[in-house]
Amino acid sequence: MSDSPPVGVLALQGDVAEHLRMLAAAGARPVAVRRPDELEQVDGLVVPGGESTTMWRLATAFELMEPVRKRIGGGLPVFGSCAGMIMLADRLLDGVGGQQTFGGIDMTVRRNAFGRQVDSFEADIRLRDVAEPPRPPFHAVFIRAPWVEQIGTGAEVLGTDAATGRIVAVRQGSLLATSFHPELSDDARVHRLFVDIVRDSR
Ligand code: GLN
């Protein structure tokens, strides 16, 4: 069905089931992606929350690093939450030795940045076009979350954490990243935004 685009969730590690559920709620046809041939079938990809060091190691072992990079380079819409945000960063701070990302968004992300203050917390976030007045804010769950220290000219800030002033949501073209976990709430607005991006890019 043309209005239910096939959207993959990178299913190596992390909160895959939660993203699959939210994508279905947002009107997409969710697909678990573990192999390069499965990656070829999707019109969009979610990189879930989890642990970016493990995801990088598994993506290397499953020979997915280059195929994902290639599809990002070809314009595939990708949404990364938390560890997924780290995976979409062109520049990473506080990674483990040799840690690689897919890249794609011209931003510098610091891993475990909020974690140094408090491991996890929840906060109401305003997100441009999605959760700003008169709409209610987005109730965001942060778990050992990264933050964005700097973005390049091609990227735009969608949201900041009011308490720290840190950037927690970024968009660059059809690439989207959040420090928090929209998949761990019942609020499908971020997933709907992403599915709209996927539809627009077809
Ligand atoms: N700290 C994790 C990492 O480095 C991310 C945490 C998360 O996704 N909840 O990948």
Side-chain angles (χ1 to χ4, degrees), residues 46-66:
V46 171
V47 183
E51 174 51 52
S52 61
T53 57
T54 309
M55 220 177 283
W56 154 60
R57 290 195 175 97
L58 289 173
T60 303
F62 282 60
E63 298 184 336
L64 276 165
M65 289 298 293
E66 285 313 314

Side-chain angles (χ1 to χ4, degrees), residues 11-115:
L12 302 175
Q13 189 270 337
D15 44 12
V16 174
E18 292 83 351
H19 273 294
L20 292 170
R21 177 179 66 87
M22 289 299 272
L23 285 169
R29 185 158 60 78
V31 182
V33 168
R34 290 188 191 83
R35 298 192 314 258
D37 62 302
E38 291 167 334
L39 180 65
E40 287 311 309
Q41 310 300 316
V42 297
D43 290 347
L45 182 71
V46 171
V47 183
E51 174 51 52
S52 61
T53 57
T54 309
M55 220 177 283
W56 154 60
R57 290 195 175 97
L58 289 173
T60 303
F62 282 60
E63 298 184 336
L64 276 165
M65 289 298 293
E66 285 313 314
V68 171
R69 283 176 177 151
K70 215 177 254 173
R71 286 224 59 191
I72 290 173
L76 181 74
V78 183
F79 165 40
S81 64
C82 201
M85 167 185 261
I86 293 170
M87 293 303 293
L88 286 178
D90 279 351
R91 293 169 299 279
L92 175 60
L93 301 172
D94 291 344
V96 299
Q99 181 174 352
Q100 287 181 38
T101 66
F102 300 132
I105 301 183
D106 184 2
M107 63 179 175
T108 304
V109 167
R110 186 178 294 279
R111 193 172 152 259
N112 295 342
F114 287 105

